[in-house]
Amino acid sequence: MNKIRVRFAPSPTGPLHIGGVRTALYNYLFAKKNNGTFILRIEDTDQTRFVPGAEEYIKKSLTWLGMSPDEGPDQGGEYGPYRQSERKELYARYAEKLVDMGYAYYAFDTPEELDKWREAMTAQGVHSPKYDHSTRLSMNNSLKLGKERALEMINAGVPYVIRLKVPENETIVFNDIVRGTVKFNSNELDDKVILKGDGLPTYHLANIVDDHYMKITHVIRGEEWLSSTAHHVLLYRYLCWDDSKPQFAHLPLLLKPVGKGKLSKRDGAKFGFPVFPLSWNGDNPEDNFTGFKEFGFLPEATINFLALLGWNPGDDREMFEINELIEAFSLDKIVKSGARFNIEKAKWFNQQYLLGKTDKEFVELILPYIENADFEYEKESLLKIAKLMKPRIELLPEIVDKAKFFFTDDFDFEEKIVRKKWKSPNNEHVIEIRNKLEGIENFDKKSIETIIKGYIENNNLSFGNIFPLLRVAVTGTTKGPDLFETMEILGKNKVLSRFDAAFDRFERIVS
Ligand code: GLU
């Protein structure tokens, strides 16, 4: 069997949507599983949609996720160049060849004429007018005018495009690894433009010429390209490339978390979660997006989450590191139905991967946030804080709020609990506990625990009345990590001064 070669072929028209990242991932996994080649091809033939920085963004995203291409614009390779704009001549040659063979034709209709024509057709009750077998002979093209006249016009400099001549009344059949046999009636297909007025190919022509030249064995891409595949199948046939035609696998759509339809870039802003791997700054504020990375997701969690959006290993297992994914991956386990984008699940994965980090690794991860918040810290206590906070963090930036009290006295109190509990005799007991803590020589969690628990038990007090007040006094919140360990990390002086400041604030709150 030929060596497996797959390509991820994004168009640099903006930031790479997370659905595109999943396509890249499945291509990557399939290549690695089969000792194949993972190729990055930049499909930049649509000059009108070209966005500066997008190619860079795509590459950075792949790097962040650890999916480096084996061949691509930066890596090079035997089948380059890997940017379509650098392969222009190749496509034009094939477009002309198709015209010569009678499978394509020159068309001179201007965009204005086409708009008018569409309007007129719609007025006559045609729902979505198509340039196809039923209408092509009434249009301004070489089929209607004759080839000679068409060439005269071309020589005279009249702008033209080349369109594929889709046959009438044919069932176009192809096999899709995910969907099985797929059939299209050729009467439903339009005569797609394959070469544009600017001499550049459209996606359809460039895509199949490159897949052929780059010896692509499997085309793995989003479901939105399924109907284009019918056109591609015709192109393969007309160019006599049927024998080397790749196999197709169309991936299910990513669906909105709730309701109907495809996950869109606007859903991110709407629901407050990322739909792009990295942050992106567009021309307008509504085109600024925060990425998975900047939301605080780890690359390995992002990968694990995406891998299971549309593929399953055949059992209940959920945790897969990249090597395990490569081992387990197969195209026949890709599901047909759309996959709902559930950000809570992504967070869960992130938490699992955070829990798998050593305390030291976790420190490295949170350090940028701590520094960015201008928190002062001692290296040693950071390790202890990391250990305590690790199980309490889903997304890295949460560390700033959740661990704030380790670094600064400037935090809010949960006033409700103070109002409810700061009264006699609770308050006298809390003050008494503070004084007992002052007497501890070796201020470690064991001694702290012995003092506090001992006091509560010996005086037959209810934990529920005392403990929340101790917590709020020291950390501002009732929801923090283990209080005894927290106190040990803060140290005796800090804990006592927190108590003293808190008693004043408590009084003010209840008065
Ligand atoms: N350039 C297309 C895109 O942006 C590639 C589709 C394909 O993989 O064939 O998604």
Side-chain angles (χ1 to χ4, degrees):
M1 198 173 123
N2 286 343
K3 188 170 158 66
I4 293 222
R5 293 176 56 80
V6 293
R7 84 298 193 275
F8 175 51
S11 299
T13 54
L16 178 63
H17 187 269
I18 202 73
V21 179
R22 185 196 57 175
T23 301
L25 174 63
Y26 286 13
N27 275 284
Y28 176 84
L29 294 176
F30 184 66
K32 297 296 144 184
K33 162 93 190 199
N34 295 290
N35 289 321
T37 307
F38 173 57
I39 298 158
L40 173 65
R41 181 171 77 218
I42 300 294
E43 300 208 327
D44 59 347
T45 57
D46 190 348
Q47 302 285 306
T48 58
R49 297 183 62 216
F50 179 82
V51 172
E55 182 182 324
E56 225 28 63
Y57 178 95
I58 291 164
K59 292 177 191 164
K60 273 194 194 147
S61 302
L62 295 182
T63 305
W64 179 60
L65 293 161
M67 300 192 280
S68 290
D70 302 308
E71 295 172 22
D74 293 347
Q75 293 72 15
E78 251 182 90
Y79 303 89
Y82 293 88
R83 223 176 260 116
Q84 288 187 329
S85 57
E86 295 165 18
R87 304 166 64 85
K88 206 169 145 180
E89 288 70 33
L90 186 63
Y91 314 118
R93 197 165 3 115
Y94 281 103
E96 290 297 341
K97 191 169 169 189
L98 287 164
V99 176
D100 284 348
M101 294 190 295
Y103 294 128
Y105 58 91
Y106 302 114
F108 303 96
D109 321 83
T110 64
E112 297 74 35
E113 283 166 358
L114 287 173
D115 282 349
K116 262 207 196 124
W117 171 76
R118 267 186 218 106
E119 255 171 55
M121 293 288 276
T122 319
Q124 285 170 32
V126 181
H127 242 351
S128 45
K130 275 207 304 282
Y131 205 126
D132 64 5
H133 68 94
S134 67
T135 54
R136 62 169 82 105
L137 283 177
S138 60
M139 309 300 276
N140 196 9
N141 56 44
S142 57
L143 297 178
K144 164 101 181 295
L145 305 166
K147 190 135 185 219
E148 220 168 287
R149 174 74 192 120
L151 289 176
E152 273 170 31
M153 289 167 75
I154 290 172
N155 287 334
V158 179
Y160 68 98
V161 301
I162 294 181
R163 283 183 183 270
L164 181 68
K165 191 175 160 199
V166 174
E168 202 179 333
N169 292 330
E170 199 192 301
T171 306
I172 299 169
V173 187
F174 59 89
N175 184 59
D176 184 273
I177 296 173
V178 179
R179 272 145 239 275
T181 306
V182 180
K183 292 184 184 162
F184 280 94
N185 179 341
S186 68
N187 291 351
E188 283 161 18
L189 306 178
D190 61 342
D191 286 358
K192 285 247 181 288
V193 172
I194 54 173
L195 197 80
K196 294 173 293 177
D198 58 6
L200 284 169
T202 56
Y203 154 74
H204 305 284
L205 180 64
N207 194 267
I208 72 118
V209 169
D210 283 350
D211 283 349
H212 175 75
Y213 269 84
M214 295 181 180
K215 295 206 163 53
I216 299 303
T217 56
H218 295 75
V219 165
I220 305 168
R221 64 183 166 203
E223 184 182 282
E224 62 272 30
W225 303 104
L226 190 65
S227 68
S228 300
T229 309
H231 287 100
H232 300 179
V233 166
L234 289 175
L235 284 166
Y236 279 110
R237 189 202 300 166
Y238 294 156
L239 292 169
C240 302
W241 290 343
D242 263 346
D243 289 347
S244 59
K245 191 169 73 197
Q247 297 191 51
F248 299 103
H250 286 90
L251 309 178
L253 292 177
L254 292 189
L255 304 175
K256 290 180 192 305
V258 284
K260 278 196 201 135
K262 202 170 137 177
L263 179 73
S264 78
K265 60 180 181 181
R266 303 280 167 231
D267 288 332
K270 191 163 146 203
F271 296 106
F273 60 66
V275 287
F276 294 100
L278 308 175
S279 288
W280 170 266
N281 283 329
D283 288 339
N284 313 305
E286 72 264 24
D287 289 327
N288 292 346
F289 303 104
T290 306
F292 267 77
K293 178 175 182 225
E294 293 78 7
F295 255 84
F297 285 96
L298 299 172
E300 53 269 46
T302 309
I303 287 210
N304 198 151
F305 166 64
L306 286 179
L308 293 173
L309 277 185
W311 169 84
N312 70 62
D315 56 31
D316 292 343
R317 185 165 164 209
E318 291 192 292
M319 295 300 295
F320 288 89
E321 305 242 2
I322 188 81
N323 288 337
E324 297 165 323
L325 280 174
I326 292 170
E327 182 62 37
F329 191 77
S330 71
L331 292 177
D332 60 357
K333 297 228 174 61
I334 291 174
V335 298
K336 276 204 215 61
S337 51
R340 216 172 259 293
F341 191 82
N342 176 358
I343 201 68
E344 292 313 315
K345 191 77 207 192
K347 289 187 194 165
W348 179 83
F349 276 115
N350 209 47
Q351 189 170 37
Q352 303 311 305
Y353 281 95
L354 288 176
L355 286 170
K357 299 285 174 198
T358 64
D359 296 343
K360 223 167 143 213
E361 287 165 340
F362 191 71
V363 168
E364 295 303 318
L365 290 169
I366 57 174
L367 203 54
Y369 298 93
I370 308 269
E371 293 193 328
N372 204 27
D374 268 339
F375 288 157
E376 278 175 28
Y377 61 90
E378 279 163 32
K379 269 237 157 78
E380 269 156 70
S381 42
L382 219 45
L383 257 184
K384 293 186 189 164
I385 294 172
K387 176 171 161 275
L388 265 192
M389 294 311 294
K390 217 187 329 170
R392 318 186 79 83
I393 302 284
E394 276 187 327
L395 296 174
L396 290 168
E398 290 167 9
I399 193 72
V400 173
D401 249 18
K402 291 197 170 158
K404 198 174 184 179
F405 53 81
F406 283 113
F407 307 100
T408 166
D409 299 333
D410 181 20
F411 51 78
D412 293 331
F413 278 164
E414 269 177 43
E415 296 196 0
K416 215 168 129 200
I417 202 88
V418 176
R419 254 182 239 114
K420 216 163 126 199
K421 310 244 177 216
W422 186 249
K423 55 187 171 209
S424 186
N426 299 345
N427 49 2
E428 287 120 36
H429 289 304
V430 170
I431 293 171
E432 196 46 39
I433 289 173
R434 178 245 175 250
N435 294 338
K436 287 213 174 306
L437 290 173
E438 192 171 6
I440 300 181
E441 221 165 273
N442 198 3
F443 202 71
D444 58 22
K445 67 173 183 191
K446 198 82 222 112
S447 329
I448 300 168
E449 181 174 357
T450 313
I451 292 286
I452 295 179
K453 281 197 174 155
Y455 184 92
I456 293 177
E457 277 159 18
N458 293 343
N459 291 287
N460 274 331
L461 306 176
S462 116
F463 265 87
N465 278 339
I466 305 298
F467 220 72
L469 286 170
L470 297 175
R471 267 193 177 286
V472 173
V474 178
T475 68
T477 168
T478 51
K479 294 187 209 73
D482 182 272
L483 183 63
F484 311 124
E485 270 193 83
T486 302
M487 287 187 173
E488 177 185 315
I489 294 171
L490 287 169
K492 186 154 106 177
N493 290 342
K494 179 96 306 181
V495 169
L496 296 179
S497 70
R498 289 259 170 103
F499 271 117
D500 295 340
F503 296 156
D504 283 348
R505 278 174 75 178
F506 284 179
E507 285 303 326
R508 264 180 271 132
I509 289 169
V510 294
S511 66

